[in-house]
Amino acid sequence: QVQLVESGGGSVQTGGSLRLSCVASGYTGSSYVMGWFRQAPGKEREGIAAIDSDGSPSYADSAKGRFTISKDNGKNTLYLQMNSLKPEDTAMYYCAADPTISRYGGSWSPLDFGYWGQGTQVTVSS
C-alpha cells in the first residue's frame, strides 16, 4: 500500500517562502511520477508541478518561476520549494504519486495520479 505523508505547510506573509516535503513508502522501484497539487476552498484541485522518474520537472503556469520541485530518491522524499508566495497561493497542498507511469504528460488532472497524501495547509497573508 502506497503511503504519502506531507509536511512543511504553515502561515507566512506575502513574499515569504516555504518548503513542503512528502515522504513516500509502500512501493518499490524507481519508475514513477510524483507531483504536487493544491486546492483552495470552493475551488477544484489544481496541478502545480510534477517530476518524472528521471528527475525531469514540469510546472503549471501558476508555479513557473516561483516554485521548484525536486526529489531525493535515497530518502523517498519529494519536495516543493515555494518562493515569493502570494495570498492566492493559500490552499491545501497535496502530494501525489503514480507508479504506473515514468513520464508525466502535463494534463494536470488529478486523475493522472493514483495515490494521494492527506495534505498540508499553506496560508499566505497580505
Side-chain angles (χ1 to χ4, degrees), residues 68-104:
T68 302
I69 189 171
S70 62
K71 65 177 180 175
D72 185 331
N73 288 332
K75 296 182 179 180
N76 289 333
T77 302
L78 177 73
Y79 302 100
L80 184 68
Q81 177 67 43
M82 304 188 294
N83 299 325
S84 302
L85 284 163
K86 307 173 183 179
E88 50 264 44
D89 294 318
T90 295
M92 185 71 79
Y93 283 68
Y94 296 93
C95 171
D98 199 290
T100 67
I101 55 175
S102 60
R103 184 169 296 279
Y104 189 57

Side-chain angles (χ1 to χ4, degrees), residues 36-83:
W36 288 99
F37 282 69
R38 66 185 181 187
Q39 189 167 19
K43 294 188 177 182
E44 294 185 351
R45 192 164 294 191
E46 172 192 21
I48 303 171
I51 190 163
D52 294 344
S53 59
D54 66 358
S56 298
S58 54
Y59 298 95
D61 288 343
S62 60
K64 289 179 181 177
R66 298 189 299 128
F67 295 178
T68 302
I69 189 171
S70 62
K71 65 177 180 175
D72 185 331
N73 288 332
K75 296 182 179 180
N76 289 333
T77 302
L78 177 73
Y79 302 100
L80 184 68
Q81 177 67 43
M82 304 188 294
N83 299 325

Side-chain angles (χ1 to χ4, degrees), residues 8-26:
S11 297
V12 296
Q13 292 186 327
T14 297
S17 298
L18 284 173
R19 188 176 81 154
L20 306 184
S21 299
C22 170
V23 178
S25 62

